[in-house]
Amino acid sequence: MSRTRTAARFAAVATAAVMAAGTLTVTSGAVAAAVDSCADIDVTYAMGTQFGVSGPPDSDPVYDALVAALDARLAGAKTVSYYRVNYPAGLEPWSASVGNRDLVRHIKAQAAACPNQTFAAVGYSQGANVVSNSVGVSSLGSLTGAPIVAVIPANIEPRVTALVLYGSPQRGMPLYKPTTITGTYQARTLDDCATGDPACGGGVDPAAHLSYSRPEHSVPAADFIAARS
């Protein structure tokens, strides 16, 4: 089981009357290019926007909570590999596009190497934009959105059994265009927005956007992925 580790921090930034938060990725080119072992399920995770680094070098509470919940849920019934999307996760207008390209690259490589593997893609905050772009739903026009530069090919699409979006800016914020996952992937998507989250629900509680490591979010996400894989 391969897990790409990163340094992370959650912070908030005011944009008009709204906020977004996230983490910083640190991955080597060699790790990013590697194909993981042929586990039953491959989970790709795209982090949120980063504003600095603090805490333990392996810290990413949202990712760690999801991994723990999914491993506990499957309890040896199926094997899982995990991949962290390698992208800036910054405020650059092209940031989510870089993540979009890497996510699709990874899944294509895994699909070619592991013909029986199924896939789940999980995105938090800006990472939700990365996931949306990768299935052909543009994030352009939302906070930290960017143009689509790659899409999971049609021949791999049936193997992508679950998408999980945490705190997706595409759900709608003041001054931004709301969009959601539609079409083929709609029934395979868990779009999780915490009560009061300003990034996805127009709320006024910045702490809600930092709450996705809690069991009320990680456990349903793990159940959703497990049930469809």
Side-chain angles (χ1 to χ4, degrees):
M1 187 181 299
S2 172
R3 298 181 184 176
T4 307
R5 292 296 187 177
T6 67
R9 182 191 178 209
F10 291 90
V13 62
T15 304
V18 298
M19 304 184 79
T23 58
L24 172 66
T25 184
V26 180
T27 53
S28 71
V31 170
V35 172
D36 287 327
S37 62
C38 290
D40 297 318
I41 309 165
D42 186 75
V43 178
T44 303
Y45 172 86
M47 72 198 73
T49 308
Q50 64 87 9
F51 292 93
V53 181
S54 68
D58 289 340
S59 174
D60 184 340
V62 176
Y63 172 74
D64 291 343
L66 174 69
V67 170
L70 185 55
D71 286 351
R73 172 67 170 77
L74 292 172
K78 291 186 177 181
T79 56
V80 188
S81 56
Y82 297 89
Y83 177 76
R84 300 283 300 275
V85 173
N86 187 38
Y87 84 115
L91 293 177
E92 303 87 352
W94 40 262
S95 176
S97 292
V98 175
N100 168 200
R101 190 182 303 279
D102 187 63
L103 187 153
V104 173
R105 178 211 59 78
H106 172 75
I107 288 181
K108 287 171 66 176
Q110 285 294 128
C114 305
N116 296 318
Q117 195 168 62
T118 61
F119 303 98
V122 181
Y124 165 52
S125 195
Q126 183 178 168
N129 292 338
V130 170
V131 171
S132 294
N133 280 12
S134 300
V135 298
V137 178
S138 177
S139 66
L140 195 62
S142 64
L143 182 66
T144 67
I148 294 172
V149 295
V151 176
I152 295 168
N155 66 315
I156 301 175
E157 169 266 312
R159 296 167 60 184
V160 182
T161 58
L163 306 178
V164 176
L165 309 181
Y166 291 127
S168 174
Q170 293 178 261
R171 286 183 55 145
M173 303 172 65
L175 307 180
Y176 293 94
K177 175 185 176 182
T179 58
T180 58
I181 300 289
T182 57
T184 303
Y185 289 96
Q186 187 171 12
R188 306 178 209 173
T189 301
L190 175 63
D191 195 343
D192 184 2
C193 182
T195 301
D197 187 343
C200 57
V204 295
D205 181 11
H209 194 63
L210 306 176
S211 70
Y212 295 98
S213 61
R214 296 176 183 170
E216 59 263 36
H217 301 287
S218 60
V219 171
D223 289 344
F224 187 84
I225 293 170
R228 287 160 178 77
S229 300

